[in-house]
Amino acid sequence: GGLYAKDQKRGSGTSEFTRNHYYPGIDPAGNQLPYYDGWLSINTENREVGIFRTMNGETDWSRWNLLTSEMPLYLASSEKGDYSVLKHDSPDGSDTTMIVNQEFTVDPEIGHLLRTEDFRIAMSLGWDRVGMNQALAAGLGTPQNMVPHPTTPYFPGEHWRTIHTGYDIPRAKSLLAKMGYSDADGDGYLDRKTDGKPLSLFFNATARYFPFGDWLVSDWKAIGIKLTASEQAPYAGSRRIEPTEYFEMFSSTEGGSNPWSSGNQRLVNIALHNGSPGIGQYFATRGEEGMAPTGGDPLYQDIYGNMAPDGTYPADITGDMLKLQEMYADGQVVSMLSPLRVQLGKEMFKINAENQLKMGGLGFAGLFRALKLKRNNLRNVPKNWSPAGGHPVEWYYFEDGIDNLNHPGNRSKKYRS
């Protein structure tokens, strides 16, 4: 590309990139891209330090670590820091989607529950998305499943956008009772079947998603589930779910509105980071590694004793993950808006909404790569995200050719926050 790594000093927390003088990209006037000479990235000791340094005007361009709930703070400091705040909306509709790990076996009872569709639906019904949207996303989001915007070709329909997402504590409790769970000791939590202890789950959140995991602690307490949320990962982006974890929360701007637009999408288990590592790895390696589709296995049964159908993955109780992979492969070889691909895309989102393997939370709230902050003298930054290239950084330039790193105290003379 237009930049290459000059010096990545991992120990010092800095990464430096310099322009590629042989880059063939030019603008319409024939000027070679990129316009600037280099890029210096500095990692701070924690997110808060980075945010305050950014608000002090020490960052030219940021698209990470910004939280919608903190937007009033960013705006209040924008004139002093000589920067502007942008909100790049994405049509993907998955700002706080919770992946439920289907391969968990460390605690057999919990593993059985996570593989039970009724349990996943109960957790979804116990999630007060409306309240969470108001409290944590400035009311900007839309409570829904992981489905794209209605204006996109693969939108599956209003029914599938909201199925199982209504806040319905009585129905959630009814499903948990159907699975044989009750609170015999009256401590407010359901009792495990194996040892009588409180039914407990945990969620190791990254910095961006910890407030949402913490919100679920009180929501799920109301239906008798004891959730512990902790901020274990300092990096604010998504990461792949570990085999020893129950959940991962993620957002998407890559593939959520078009399952075939990126190998980094999360709707289908096609890689290690798509929610069930072994199943994704098997697909990604063409069967050389990962969990093979050998059919039912008692180790991977659900709470009712159901096992995977013959010819599917042992952890795929409904058979839906294999079905989604096959649909993904079928759609990969036809054009983007062909009738077959449109049909497959809608069906894939329908399946996900129905089985709740990936529980959607909020869409269109601007929680992931959507909030941007730029110095006012950094120009040519797009006003909104585009599937054609949301971050064309090779085009950025400084007003009058004067950068901020080498000119402390520099402020824009032409543009305001």
Side-chain angles (χ1 to χ4, degrees):
L3 300 170
Y4 66 90
K6 177 182 179 182
D7 187 12
Q8 290 186 289
K9 306 170 186 174
R10 297 185 182 276
S12 63
T14 63
S15 298
E16 186 174 357
F17 298 85
T18 189
R19 66 174 304 179
N20 176 4
H21 295 284
Y22 301 97
Y23 184 54
I26 58 173
D27 68 9
N31 299 303
Q32 187 187 25
L33 301 176
Y35 291 136
Y36 52 84
D37 295 318
W39 183 290
L40 177 65
S41 177
I42 301 173
N43 294 326
T44 57
E45 51 265 45
N46 56 51
R47 191 188 76 88
E48 288 74 18
V49 170
I51 291 297
F52 279 107
R53 290 186 62 174
T54 295
M55 290 192 298
N56 194 45
E58 297 180 41
T59 301
D60 294 321
W61 162 251
S62 177
R63 69 185 184 103
W64 290 109
N65 303 326
L66 302 175
L67 304 180
T68 309
S69 58
E70 294 177 349
M71 192 189 300
L73 178 65
Y74 308 152
L75 295 175
S77 304
S78 60
E79 291 189 9
K80 180 181 178 181
D82 192 36
Y83 62 79
S84 294
V85 179
L86 308 175
K87 181 173 179 284
H88 287 188
D89 291 322
S90 164
D92 283 27
S94 55
D95 280 338
T96 55
T97 298
M98 185 79 91
I99 293 177
V100 185
N101 185 6
Q102 298 301 284
E103 297 178 14
F104 183 82
T105 58
V106 178
D107 182 327
E109 182 173 357
I110 297 299
H112 295 165
L113 281 172
L114 298 177
R115 284 183 288 275
T116 302
E117 186 172 311
D118 281 344
F119 184 70
R120 298 192 298 272
I121 292 173
M123 288 190 294
S124 185
L125 295 171
W127 189 349
D128 180 11
R129 295 168 172 84
V130 174
M132 183 181 73
N133 181 39
Q134 296 299 323
L136 302 180
L140 297 172
T142 300
Q144 63 167 50
N145 281 309
M146 181 189 173
V147 300
H149 196 271
T151 59
T152 61
Y154 307 115
F155 177 66
E158 188 65 20
H159 171 74
W160 302 102
R161 186 183 71 79
T162 59
I163 186 174
H164 305 317
T165 62
Y167 188 42
D168 192 339
I169 290 180
R171 186 180 166 214
K173 287 185 173 180
S174 175
L175 287 171
L176 292 165
K178 174 187 172 184
M179 287 176 268
Y181 284 92
S182 62
D183 177 19
D185 57 11
D187 65 352
Y189 296 109
L190 300 172
D191 305 323
R192 286 169 52 105
K193 294 181 179 181
T194 50
D195 53 23
K197 295 180 180 179
L199 181 57
S200 302
L201 303 173
F202 68 87
F203 173 40
N204 289 338
T206 54
R208 177 183 290 114
Y209 303 118
F210 173 73
F212 299 94
D214 199 38
W215 177 272
L216 278 172
V217 171
S218 58
D219 274 4
W220 286 352
K221 181 179 181 180
I223 60 174
I225 297 174
K226 186 176 183 180
L227 177 69
T228 301
S230 59
E231 188 178 332
Q232 294 290 338
Y235 175 52
S238 294
R239 60 193 173 93
R240 71 179 178 86
I241 197 167
E242 297 296 332
T244 56
E245 293 182 309
Y246 304 151
F247 308 108
E248 178 206 358
M249 187 172 279
F250 77 96
S251 299
S252 175
T253 55
E254 299 172 328
S257 54
N258 175 3
W260 295 277
S261 69
S262 169
N264 198 33
Q265 54 84 14
R266 300 299 187 95
L267 181 64
V268 186
N269 298 79
I270 59 172
L272 277 169
H273 65 272
N274 293 126
S276 293
I279 292 175
Q281 189 177 30
Y282 185 86
F283 183 90
T285 62
R286 307 297 192 269
E288 293 184 7
E289 301 176 40
M291 178 182 288
T294 55
D297 183 334
L299 180 65
Y300 293 100
Q301 65 185 336
D302 70 5
I303 201 68
Y304 299 124
N306 297 319
M307 290 187 286
D310 292 341
T312 61
Y313 301 105
D316 186 9
I317 300 296
T318 63
D320 284 338
M321 284 191 277
L322 179 62
K323 187 185 302 182
L324 287 168
Q325 288 178 342
E326 292 172 343
M327 295 169 75
Y328 176 85
D330 289 342
Q332 191 82 319
V333 296
V334 296
S335 62
M336 185 172 74
L337 295 180
S338 68
L340 175 60
R341 184 179 269 202
V342 170
Q343 175 190 347
L344 289 171
K346 290 181 177 181
E347 187 63 29
M348 290 162 74
F349 283 112
K350 287 180 183 179
I351 290 173
N352 181 73
E354 187 170 38
N355 65 32
Q356 293 292 299
L357 289 172
K358 298 174 175 67
M359 292 187 292
L362 300 177
F364 323 118
L367 299 176
F368 179 61
R369 295 185 182 171
L371 278 188
K372 310 291 195 301
L373 190 152
K374 74 171 195 70
R375 287 293 301 276
N376 291 327
N377 65 339
L378 183 66
R379 310 309 302 167
N380 230 22
V381 178
K383 289 184 170 60
N384 203 357
W385 181 89
S386 165
H391 315 287
V393 293
E394 289 87 357
W395 301 355
Y396 298 174
Y397 67 89
F398 286 103
E399 174 187 329
D400 298 326
I402 303 173
D403 72 280
N404 301 313
L405 178 65
N406 298 302
H407 301 86
N410 186 33
R411 295 176 67 89
S412 175
K413 299 178 179 60
K414 303 176 184 177
Y415 307 99
R416 299 189 61 184
S417 300

